[in-house]
Amino acid sequence: MDSQKPIKCLQDEGLNLSGVIHGLRNWFDEHKADPLIQINLSDRSHQILSSWENRPGIKCEGPADAKVVILDSEPHFFKGDAGSLMEKILGAIGLETDSVFIMHAEDFQDVVSRVRKISPKVIVAFGDQAAMLITQNKDPMEQLRGTFHQLDAFKIMPTFHPRSLLEHPEKKRAVWEDMKMVKALLER
């Protein structure tokens, strides 16, 4: 099967709808006093533009046919010490960063919609925010990790975020155990 083109979400390129609407709203505000430009927006139109400006987005990248989706609690993929550690964690189970689909989102429906399009074998939720979002469970990570959760037909493995491992190295063993379970699932 040929690998599909990598997906890069529009938000990564600075072309998200929220940004466009923000720019449009600013342009309207700057030019409303210009006598050469006739713009008459209703109060309701201004309310709609303002509400879209604050809508949470989704940041993602990776192959459209990835077997692994990473849901990251942080929006800075593979950057800094935490990013380097995430690369090492993935490498330890035989995954390259360009073979996984990684995303950060704040809206459950955005995540579910994207996951359904990709149809991965497993979702790894790194960090509390990601785990709580995808499992819809507010239990602490210590209770969520160590077992697969289910979303439709997709297996989810919540685990500690690499940033947490940098601050609490004693959690590395737990993450390694979680990732061994992910590797075993991928090898089936």
Side-chain angles (χ1 to χ4, degrees):
M1 180 169 124
D2 289 334
S3 193
Q4 295 179 7
K5 273 184 121 175
I7 295 172
K8 197 145 174 108
C9 295
L10 292 177
Q11 286 84 344
D12 293 342
E13 300 297 327
L15 299 175
N16 64 54
L17 184 58
S18 178
V20 170
I21 290 175
H22 175 75
L24 188 59
R25 182 171 167 252
N26 285 343
W27 188 89
F28 283 143
D29 288 345
E30 289 171 10
H31 292 86
K32 65 183 171 191
D34 189 330
L36 299 176
I37 300 173
Q38 296 287 321
I39 301 171
N40 294 318
L41 288 180
S42 68
D43 289 340
R44 178 67 182 136
S45 294
H46 280 286
Q47 286 175 337
I48 290 169
L49 290 174
S50 293
S51 70
W52 267 98
E53 183 178 323
N54 297 319
R55 187 172 182 263
I58 182 170
K59 181 179 179 187
C60 58
E61 63 185 50
D65 61 349
K67 298 292 177 228
V68 177
V69 166
I70 303 291
L71 185 57
D72 195 342
S73 287
E74 297 183 6
H76 317 291
F77 308 149
F78 306 117
K79 302 254 189 311
D81 292 339
S84 295
L85 185 52
M86 186 179 290
E87 285 183 39
K88 289 177 185 173
I89 291 167
L90 294 174
I93 62 166
L95 295 173
E96 299 290 329
T97 57
D98 61 356
S99 71
V100 300
F101 188 88
I102 186 166
M103 72 174 132
H104 169 82
E106 298 174 13
D107 180 75
F108 177 73
Q109 292 305 323
D110 286 343
V111 172
V112 171
S113 173
R114 182 67 59 181
V115 165
R116 286 182 179 144
K117 288 177 186 172
I118 295 168
S119 194
K121 199 164 188 180
V122 65
I123 302 163
V124 180
F126 279 106
D128 293 335
Q129 178 187 344
M132 287 185 221
L133 177 71
I134 194 71
T135 64
Q136 295 289 281
N137 188 325
K138 303 295 182 206
D139 289 340
M141 183 60 75
E142 290 78 8
Q143 292 176 16
L144 291 175
R145 61 147 303 275
T147 186
F148 284 107
H149 297 253
Q150 199 77 28
L151 172 68
D152 298 336
F154 310 112
K155 301 271 189 197
I156 303 165
M157 176 55 73
T159 195
F160 296 107
H161 193 276
R163 175 135 349 268
S164 178
L165 302 182
L166 294 171
E167 296 165 5
H168 305 280
E170 67 277 7
K171 295 179 180 178
K172 287 181 180 180
R173 168 65 59 195
V175 172
W176 176 237
E177 295 302 321
D178 295 341
M179 297 310 289
K180 286 193 311 189
M181 292 172 63
V182 169
K183 183 178 181 177
L185 177 68
L186 292 171
E187 291 173 345
R188 281 194 234 155

